[in-house]
């Protein structure tokens, strides 16, 4: 079980309004009490902070924003002392333009660091080498001053892509990993790794202006680059866990990346788990910034497809992270009377399947998204264009912001709600971002309530640790779209997980051998009579029995 911490928003101890390493240290008792055995921490290495840590200035220095080198070592040691493993983020596709490598590269084509990045010559009669666009807007190319060469940046102009085709770069990257492994880090999340094999022919995108990422994802050299890296880091530690961020990967691609023979990564994090009802979007408005309900039928099909990972321990299981809105708010009922039931149901539905759960900090207390009222405060690319297009289509401000607040990544980065005080126990200063203050949905209040979401998560995590839910076979049963039912079996033990992903009560017909005495975990309002299980809105019940 992995607990993801977004350090900027977790706990601030020095009053600057930004979470820090000492804040994580302060809350280790709480983290341990959840029952998780691994902590994934988003970037705390030295950065220009234009992309909250993913624009790296130094891979081996702790950013003073979060604390000192000694603080970082204390954190690693403290987690180790508690028997917990640590995963660090590794932004390996690009650096900051302030990184010493890039500063050297700017000294000219003959500098040895020039080939650490991707360059090409300009073309006559056009402003850029080709029509690729960057993920954060504009061209994916920027021209060097006093030269006709351009460097590639698939994300931001200030984040130049590194050149994995260059052996010295690959060696440097392996050394970075070995440095942290020797410090005590057990694993890494490989950020945006699917773009590291750049097509050096630089073909035109078929659209007039098209995302450069489209033509540079999942390249054929990635197995070579990563297997070489894996062989190198074995010198520092045999058991290093690698999880790759592959936002566009379907089940087949995930199988390829995690195939042990390819020696790339252990697990994949993909955003393809959550198909939406695209037909409910307004054709007059750009679809990528519109919210639509979760397509429950397609969601089931995705889960079935990823069952192919069963022989590898199952896929990564997650509802949300720092790059996407909180799914409780987006796909369920964070603003209704069903909020508690929905949070509990979603946890049971996903995390008791076969696989490795990742719980994003605040999820375990039912936190919802923060809400922006000004589109100019949302840094996601294309927000202002969407606002203008939606306004032309007749959408009012409230409707536009509702959609933006259900698709923007920053809405999930609100600060952790430790109590219901004015600054929710996060800081004594001015918080770096927006946040919610709620009297019930904070750690202090939920600790006191045995029926809270927090206590439900603890019980669920204990269940997840059992052999049945770790190693047992997984089988989804055929039901209507809004019902989600599956069986876990191991030797003589069997579990049945029944969930209602709907605001309407519903009934499931189950075998009469299942009795209320077999229910080991449930949320509120369920009832069982004979072989009929009545599930209230967002109801969930977990049964276990010996054969």
């Amino acid at each position: 079980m992995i607990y993801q911490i977004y350090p900027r928003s977790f706990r601030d101890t020095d009053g600057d309004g930004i979470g820090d390493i000492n804040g994580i240290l302060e809350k280790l008792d709480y983290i341990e009490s959840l029952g998780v055995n691994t902590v994934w921490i988003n970037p705390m290495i030295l950065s220009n902070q234009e992309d909250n840590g993913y624009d790296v200035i130094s891979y081996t220095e702790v950013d003073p924003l979060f604390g000192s080198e000694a603080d970082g070592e204390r954190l690693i040691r403290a987690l180790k002392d508690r028997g917990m493993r640590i995963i660090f983020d590794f932004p390996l596709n690009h650096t900051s333009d302030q990184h010493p490598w890039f500063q050297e590269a700017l000294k000219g084509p003959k500098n040895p660091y020039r080939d650490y990045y991707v360059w090409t010559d300009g073309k006559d009669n056009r402003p850029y080498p080709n029509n690729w666009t960057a993920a954060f807007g504009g061209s994916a190319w920027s021209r060097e001053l006093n030269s006709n060469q351009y460097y590639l940046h698939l994300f931001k102009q200030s984040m130049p892509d590194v050149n994995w085709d260059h052996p010295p770069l690959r060696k440097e990257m392996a050394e970075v990993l070995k440095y942290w492994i020797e410090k005590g880090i057990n694993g890494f999340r490989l950020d945006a790794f699917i773009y590291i094999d750049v097509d050096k022919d630089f073909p035109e995108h078929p659209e007039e202006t098209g995302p450069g990422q489209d033509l540079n994802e999942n390249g054929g050299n990635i197995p070579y680059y990563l297997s070489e890296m894996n062989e190198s880091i074995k010198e520092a530690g045999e058991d290093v866990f690698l999880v790759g961020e592959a936002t566009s990967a379907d089940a087949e691609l995930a199988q390829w990346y995690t195939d042990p023979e390819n020696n790339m990564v252990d697990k994949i994090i993909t955003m393809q788990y959550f198909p939406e009802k695209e037909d409910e979007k307004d054709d007059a408005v750009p679809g990528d910034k519109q919210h639509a309900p979760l397509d429950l039928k397609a969601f089931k099909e995705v889960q079935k497809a990823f069952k192919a990972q069963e022989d590898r321990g199952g896929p990564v299981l997650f509802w949300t992270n720092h790059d996407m809105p909180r799914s409780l708010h987006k796909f369920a009922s964070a603003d209704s009377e069903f909020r508690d039931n929905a949070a509990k149901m979603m946890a049971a539905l996903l995390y008791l399947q076969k696989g490795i759960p990742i719980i994003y900090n605040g999820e375990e207390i039912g936190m919802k998204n923060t809400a922006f009222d000004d589109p100019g405060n949302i840094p996601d690319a294309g927000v202002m264009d969407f606002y203008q297009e939606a306004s032309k289509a007749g959408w009012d401000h409230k409707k536009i912001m509702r959609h933006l607040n259900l698709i923007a990544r920053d809405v999930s980065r609100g600060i952790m709600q430790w109590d219901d005080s004015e600054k929710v126990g996060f800081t004594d200063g001015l918080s770096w971002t927006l946040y919610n203050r709620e009297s019930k949905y904070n750690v202090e209040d939920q600790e006191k309530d045995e029926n809270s979401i927090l206590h439900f998560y603890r019980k669920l995590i204990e269940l997840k640790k059992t052999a049945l839910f770790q190693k047992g076979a997984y089988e989804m049963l055929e039901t209507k779209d809004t019902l989600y039912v599956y069986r876990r079996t191991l030797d003589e033990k069997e579990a049945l997980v029944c969930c209602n992903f709907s605001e309407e009560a519903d009934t499931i017909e189950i075998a009469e051998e299942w009795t209320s005495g077999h229910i080991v975990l449930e949320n509120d309002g369920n009832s069982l009579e004979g072989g009929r299980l009545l599930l209230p809105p967002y109801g969930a019940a977990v049964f276990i029995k010996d054969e």
Side-chain angles (χ1 to χ4, degrees):
M1 298 286 289
I2 300 172
Y3 188 66
Q4 180 192 353
I5 294 175
Y6 195 66
R8 293 180 70 96
S9 299
F10 195 63
R11 172 74 174 105
D12 168 34
T13 60
D14 61 9
D16 66 355
I18 297 173
D20 47 49
I21 294 172
N22 284 328
I24 300 174
L25 281 162
E26 181 185 290
K27 298 298 183 180
L28 286 186
D29 285 347
Y30 170 75
I31 296 168
E32 186 176 21
S33 78
L34 296 174
V36 298
N37 59 13
T38 303
V39 174
W40 159 27
I41 304 175
N42 288 114
M44 298 189 299
I45 49 180
L46 189 62
S47 164
N48 208 34
Q49 295 298 325
E50 287 197 24
D51 192 29
N52 290 358
Y54 289 93
D55 49 325
V56 181
I57 293 178
S58 173
Y59 282 103
T60 57
E61 294 180 61
V62 173
D63 196 313
L65 188 70
F66 300 112
S68 66
E69 192 79 18
D71 293 333
E73 291 176 353
R74 274 199 310 134
L75 177 59
I76 294 170
R77 190 164 55 249
L79 286 166
K80 291 286 185 185
D81 289 345
R82 292 168 184 259
M84 303 176 78
R85 296 168 64 84
I86 316 161
I87 296 172
F88 265 13
D89 252 303
F90 180 39
L92 76 171
N93 177 74
H94 46 261
T95 69
S96 166
D97 59 3
Q98 301 304 306
H99 194 290
W101 297 345
F102 192 71
Q103 291 298 303
E104 285 294 314
L106 290 174
K107 293 180 179 178
K110 294 183 179 180
N111 189 281
Y113 285 94
R114 186 74 166 193
D115 288 336
Y116 274 47
Y117 296 88
V118 180
W119 300 85
T120 193
D121 293 329
K123 293 184 179 180
D124 293 337
N125 302 318
R126 64 183 303 174
Y128 300 107
N130 64 20
N131 65 346
W132 295 354
T133 55
F136 288 85
S139 174
W141 298 97
S142 286
R143 183 174 176 172
E144 181 187 27
L145 292 175
N146 305 316
S147 140
N148 192 37
Q149 282 218 309
Y150 292 73
Y151 67 87
L152 178 67
H153 49 88
L154 291 177
F155 289 87
K156 279 189 174 185
Q157 180 179 355
S158 60
M159 295 158 58
D161 284 41
V162 295
N163 179 18
W164 275 79
D165 195 37
H166 188 50
L169 181 279
R170 298 200 302 273
K171 183 177 179 181
E172 291 257 25
M173 288 299 199
E175 290 301 315
V176 167
L177 294 186
K178 286 193 280 188
Y179 171 86
W180 286 111
I181 292 167
E182 289 167 0
K183 287 276 190 181
I185 300 304
N186 306 107
F188 301 90
R189 171 189 173 271
L190 307 183
D191 177 69
F193 84 100
I194 60 175
Y195 306 115
I196 63 176
D197 183 20
V198 175
D199 186 343
K200 297 296 178 55
D201 290 331
F202 307 123
E204 294 288 315
H205 196 285
E207 299 176 11
E208 184 176 348
T209 57
Q213 291 179 356
D214 288 357
L215 302 182
N216 292 285
E217 62 180 6
N218 311 311
N221 287 320
I222 292 178
Y224 171 67
Y225 298 154
L226 294 188
S227 61
E228 179 189 70
M229 183 183 77
N230 281 328
E231 289 303 312
S232 179
I233 64 177
K234 279 183 180 179
E235 301 169 10
E238 287 287 335
D239 185 23
V240 177
F241 181 74
L242 296 180
V243 57
E245 182 206 21
T247 55
S248 59
D250 59 14
E252 183 178 355
L253 197 54
Q255 283 291 92
W256 180 64
Y257 276 126
T258 58
D259 187 336
E261 292 187 3
N262 291 334
N263 194 24
M264 288 189 280
V265 297
D266 298 291
K267 298 294 176 187
I268 286 293
I269 293 176
T270 174
M271 300 302 187
Q272 302 308 303
Y273 289 149
F274 311 107
E276 298 181 6
K277 292 183 177 180
E278 297 295 329
D279 59 353
E280 295 194 14
K281 292 184 176 181
D282 186 340
D283 292 338
V285 177
D288 63 334
K289 293 292 183 288
Q290 287 189 58
H291 161 70
L294 184 66
D295 186 331
L296 293 172
K297 182 176 182 178
F299 175 69
K300 284 186 178 183
E301 293 304 313
V302 170
Q303 297 301 308
K304 289 177 184 176
F306 276 90
K307 188 177 183 293
Q309 297 260 297
E310 191 170 24
D311 63 342
R312 299 167 193 177
V316 164
L317 305 169
F318 71 99
W319 274 116
T320 193
N321 61 35
H322 65 292
D323 274 337
M324 57 185 292
R326 293 182 180 271
S327 292
L328 172 63
H329 203 164
K330 183 172 174 63
F331 296 133
S333 268
D335 288 319
S336 80
E337 62 186 298
F338 308 127
R339 179 173 174 180
D340 287 40
N341 253 20
K344 295 172 184 178
M345 179 279 296
M346 291 173 76
L349 183 155
L350 200 59
Y351 299 147
L352 293 178
Q353 295 185 51
K354 190 164 188 176
I356 299 177
I358 300 180
I359 299 166
Y360 181 47
N361 68 251
E363 176 186 336
E364 74 278 12
I365 56 172
M367 273 179 59
K368 63 181 182 179
N369 296 323
T370 53
F372 292 88
D373 190 53
D374 181 349
N377 291 331
I378 302 176
D380 289 22
V383 165
M384 295 308 300
D385 289 340
F386 174 80
Y387 192 94
Q388 292 168 4
E389 290 293 324
S391 294
K392 290 178 184 176
W395 290 22
D396 62 23
H397 174 79
K398 184 177 180 179
K399 180 177 180 179
I400 297 172
M401 294 312 300
R402 185 180 75 84
H403 279 260
L404 288 175
N405 282 317
L406 288 172
I407 62 89
R409 63 179 189 169
D410 279 69
V411 299
S412 71
R413 298 177 178 183
I415 63 178
M416 184 73 176
Q417 294 162 210
W418 296 105
D419 56 41
D420 69 350
S421 62
E422 182 181 355
K423 297 178 181 178
V424 299
F426 169 74
T427 184
D428 293 329
L430 181 64
S431 171
W432 75 277
T433 188
L434 300 177
Y435 61 94
N436 296 312
R437 178 187 177 191
E438 300 176 280
S439 61
K440 180 178 178 181
Y441 298 96
N442 62 77
V443 172
E444 183 177 76
D445 286 351
Q446 295 208 8
E447 288 283 14
K448 300 171 185 176
D449 179 6
E450 287 295 325
N451 195 41
S452 68
I453 300 168
L454 176 58
H455 282 285
F456 186 92
Y457 262 77
R458 286 185 175 132
K459 293 170 186 174
L460 183 143
I461 290 169
E462 285 306 306
L463 267 184
K464 182 67 178 182
K465 290 178 179 178
T466 63
L468 176 59
F469 288 104
Q470 288 280 313
K471 301 177 181 178
Y474 163 76
E475 178 190 6
M476 185 188 298
L477 305 185
E478 293 301 321
T479 61
K480 64 193 292 188
D481 293 346
T482 53
L483 296 176
Y484 200 105
V485 183
Y486 60 92
R487 182 183 291 118
R488 299 296 307 271
T489 54
L490 180 67
D491 300 328
E492 303 301 313
K493 279 195 172 259
E494 181 179 359
L496 187 67
V497 180
C498 304
C499 300
N500 176 16
F501 210 138
S502 166
E503 290 191 0
E504 301 295 327
D506 211 333
T507 301
I508 298 176
E509 300 291 336
I510 62 175
E512 289 195 19
E513 61 193 33
W514 295 104
T515 69
S516 58
H518 293 125
I519 297 177
V520 296
L521 185 67
E522 64 177 330
N523 56 11
D524 293 337
N526 305 287
S527 65
L528 178 64
E529 295 181 8
R532 292 172 60 84
L533 174 65
L534 175 64
L535 291 171
Y538 298 107
V542 181
F543 299 76
I544 295 181
K545 67 179 176 65
D546 295 320
E547 291 289 350

